[in-house]
Amino acid sequence: MKVLVPVKRVIDYNVKIRVKPDGSGVETQNVKMSMNPFDEISIEEAVRMKEKGVAEEVIAVSMGPQQCQETLRTALAMGADRGIHVKTDDVLEPLAVAKMLKAIAEKEQPQMIIVGKQAIDDDCNQTGQMTAALLGWSQATFASVIELGEGTAKVTREIDGGLETVDIKLPAVVTSDLRLNEPRYASLPNIMKAKKKPIEEMDPASLGVDTTPRVKTLKVSEPPKRQGGVKVESVQELVSKLVNEAKVI
Amino acid sequence: MSDYNAPIDEMLFVMEEVAGLGDLVQMERFGELSPELVAAVLEEAGKLAGGVVAPLNRQGDVEGARLENGVVRTPTGFREAYRQFVEGGWNGVPFPVEHGGQGLPWLVSTALSEMWASANLSFSLCPLLTQGAIDLLQAHGSEAQKEMFLPRMISGEWTGTMNLTEPQAGSDVGALRTRAERNGDHYLIRGQKIFITYGEHDFTDNIIHMVLARTPDAPPGIRGISLFVVPKVLVESDGRLGARNDVRVASLEHKLGIHASPTCVMSYGDDTGAVGYLIGEEGRGIEYMFTMMNNARLGVGLEGVAIAERAYQQAVAFARERIQGRDALSGDEAPVPIIRHPDVRRMLLSIRADTEATRALAYYVAAAMDRARGAQSDVERQRWQQRVDLLIPVVKAFSTDVGVDAASTALQVHGGMGFIEETGAAQHYRDARIAPIYEGTNGIQALDLLGRKTLRDKGAALQALIAEIEVDASAGIGSGNPHIRTIHERLGEAATALARAGRSLIERRQGADVLAGATPFLRLVGLATTGWLLGRGAVAAARLLDEGGDKQALFEAKLQTARFYAEQRLVMAEPLSRVVADAGATVADFAEEYF
């Protein structure tokens, strides 16, 4: 079977995010960019499926500007077989991404799409769910274990109260959670080989998708600075402050 | 614990704009290599260095390598990190593809080595020594020896060591006494070697020792020394591991720094004699050693760059967070991070400038090695080889001195906290201190630069370098950019000072006063050359700034750092040239009994 994995280019998780002075967004100039960590986990899972012989091909997809090809190369160096780059300088919202994933899935016919549960830049946590809905496929989100059966998959999900195991029919969309696996470091020979793997370029129009944003961003601002705390003398005083000042109980 | 983030943009900048990566990727033997591919390689290596190797640095320092019942245990996590390092294919970067290497330029390998050394100097020494042993076998081993050892050393399945030093034979390696007696198709080695880095460890099943020893009828001094390969475990003809050889670790040294790297006293032939195989011919051991010397000295020079980078990152992080004192200029009452204080900035910028300067030098020399090897004509090859030979002692000594200074200044930025071990700044200072000592002390490097590299050819190689510096200095002085102009004015003065010092040494030629000037002379060559290369980078940065693009901050910083270096460091060239020319006599005349 084929496995499709979308990979998003985001600000590196080590970078301290700065808001642009005009409040229109966050600073991305001169900022180190990397693959969304949850997408690394998705690639790792797909490559392991291939190594176990249950997947034949792993296709990585990235959507965005030219530099997304670097992110795709990382995926190829980790073991994906080929890449698809949907090239656009537009701002992409989850719905647009899901529509384009649907178009690509219809063409490529994968049995599984493994999507990171969220991207660490906008934390939307929507793309996987929307993609499954648009395709009419089963979905299992926040996966910490994926076991493949015959035309089915058993997925352990991380939910608030603990773990939930679901059986789903393939084709399906699975979103990866942090504990699904620990992604590998690409080896030097594989980095060299990745250069020779093909990356197919396309654009949103060729997929028939209108990427116009549906959501308008009014303002982006830093979280409020933490106010200095006070020391309380007694439990009574603490409770009284919680009730009267903080109004949380 | 401090993080390490490989300075990939800076590394790529130096590789492309200073060292000439663009020329190297054109060379046929590097196939489809491109700057983009090099960037991808650095990116992924940086993840391994920062994510796996660097986090072990502090724990390695605390735990240290331990000797238990004849077995050396490396600190927690080191063995696993070595496995990941080797599985990733990072051990064989510069070696030929036909032996299982990656066939990449030394320039790329040098940038990667910097990362490993920055991340964890103790860890990085194991692959560095293996690399030296591979160089030797590759250049001088028989086909059978290459077949037996090379593939598994290049893959990292086995590691290598260098056995030169003995208690009475340090800088004077000709005084060594280890014996080698012919015994059929091999030799039996008996003797003791000290300061053997990773002479014993738990990373691999086998360790391949390169050992210098004397045959019974050999003449005294260095002409009587031969080179042998002595495996820890003997290798059968079918490649399987056989009997344990008669070589063992006698003890581990307790050291100022690099605690995690096992520095071994090795005992050869306590029982029956250690089986060793002669490399090449008898009596040519030292000559063979010279073929790997340039690589090894570049590698150690790079350690200075690497530790300076690591110390810098830690000092900047601390200076941004440590709140102390008020802004001296604004008059604002609120306490500020110490990075606002001009003297702290001076310290940080000093480390940064010195790091960038020595990195430029090391990468330039690595690329010169690639250029010499890939040259199309003998004239071109000789030209680059001459440049490499001239600058190797400078890379080794100048950069490792910088490493110690930088680590010391970085510690100073921390104030009292720097003196506390938990902070981690002290470790860099202790670790940095070995680099000016081993692989030929910096004093030996200065004598090499003075004697073999300058006086022997009557200053021809030096003059060729100065001429190139002068051409660039003249061009830069005419620039409309005030940074570029200032940098090249200082550079022109430094070139004049260097030429004068060189002439003074060549005219006097010998005597204690000449020898006493060796170290200041090396420092002067280092200053002028690094100033030149930073100037080259500054010109590129100015051009790239004009062109626009998305790395404006990097280019702006490169330009300003180069100017800082010109104004605060290059100006020392003139006084240094006076030291070289005038001050040797006092050293020479001071009577021994007065000490």
Side-chain angles (χ1 to χ4, degrees), chain A residues 12 14 29-35 40 67 73-74 77-78 184-189 191-193 195-196, chain B residues 5 32 34 37 40-41 43-44 47-48 51-52 84 87-90 93 102 104 549-553:
Chain A
D12 188 84
N14 273 316
Q29 286 275 316
N30 291 317
V31 169
K32 184 172 160 58
M33 308 290 279
S34 307
M35 190 191 296
E40 282 187 354
Q67 295 91 321
R73 291 284 170 209
T74 303
M78 288 176 71
R184 71 191 63 194
Y185 291 94
S187 75
L188 183 51
I191 299 165
M192 311 276 276
K193 275 183 220 146
K195 196 181 166 266
K196 299 203 175 90
Chain B
N5 287 307
E32 294 178 25
S34 64
L37 181 57
V41 169
E43 191 70 41
E44 299 300 327
K47 288 182 194 167
L48 186 68
V52 174
Q84 274 185 276
E87 280 182 5
W90 301 104
V93 175
Q102 304 296 335
L104 287 168
D550 62 351
K551 289 183 182 165
Q552 299 287 303

Side-chain angles (χ1 to χ4, degrees), chain B residues 104-352:
Chain B
L104 287 168
W106 276 100
L107 176 59
V108 176
S109 169
T110 294
L112 297 176
S113 298
E114 184 198 317
M115 286 188 197
W116 314 129
S118 272
N120 191 328
L121 186 58
S122 288
F123 177 87
S124 74
L125 295 179
C126 187
L128 181 70
L129 270 295
T130 305
Q131 205 168 75
I134 292 170
D135 275 337
L136 274 180
L137 275 168
Q138 205 162 252
H140 308 293
S142 67
E143 284 311 310
Q145 286 167 347
K146 286 187 201 175
E147 198 182 319
M148 186 178 282
F149 299 112
L150 271 188
R152 284 189 267 188
M153 291 174 77
I154 289 175
S155 72
E157 187 183 335
W158 298 344
T159 67
T161 71
M162 290 291 159
N163 296 244
L164 286 77
T165 306
E166 297 176 14
Q168 77 294 347
S171 293
D172 180 12
V173 72
L176 67 82
R177 291 189 200 132
T178 295
R179 286 166 300 135
E181 276 178 82
R182 186 182 269 284
N183 182 26
D185 66 344
H186 61 268
Y187 288 69
L188 291 176
I189 315 284
R190 290 189 178 85
Q192 193 185 65
K193 294 283 180 182
I194 61 168
F195 300 163
I196 308 309
T197 302
Y198 280 92
E200 179 63 51
H201 57 73
D202 55 5
F203 291 172
T204 58
D205 296 338
N206 207 358
I207 302 171
I208 312 305
H209 304 291
M210 310 303 283
V211 183
L212 288 182
R214 245 173 229 299
T215 45
D217 45 358
I222 58 168
R223 281 185 181 74
I225 295 173
S226 308
L227 176 64
F228 300 88
V229 51
V230 184
K232 170 181 161 184
V233 182
L234 295 172
V235 184
E236 306 283 344
S237 53
D238 62 1
R240 277 184 310 173
L241 290 182
R244 184 77 159 73
N245 205 354
D246 185 12
V247 46
R248 55 185 58 83
V249 54
S251 63
L252 294 187
E253 305 291 356
H254 299 275
K255 311 187 292 291
L256 176 68
I258 52 169
H259 291 159
S261 163
T263 303
C264 304
V265 174
M266 299 299 293
S267 196
Y268 290 86
D270 282 354
D271 299 328
T272 51
V275 173
Y277 310 100
L278 178 70
I279 292 184
E281 295 169 23
E282 281 187 13
R284 298 181 64 183
I286 294 293
E287 177 193 332
Y288 298 154
M289 276 291 170
F290 267 93
T291 57
M292 54 80 57
M293 204 85 90
N294 279 354
N295 289 344
R297 290 183 171 176
L298 171 65
V300 172
L302 201 60
E303 291 173 7
V305 183
I307 208 85
E309 172 67 37
R310 182 76 189 260
Y312 172 74
Q313 291 191 12
Q314 183 158 0
V316 169
F318 182 85
R320 282 192 202 286
E321 300 215 327
R322 172 70 173 166
I323 309 285
Q324 199 75 179
R326 286 160 192 80
D327 192 318
L329 303 176
S330 71
D332 199 338
E333 283 300 301
V336 294
I338 60 170
I339 199 165
R340 300 269 172 80
H341 303 315
D343 191 59
V344 173
R345 285 191 186 218
R346 178 194 57 79
M347 289 193 275
L348 293 175
L349 199 44
S350 303
I351 312 173
R352 183 186 177 111

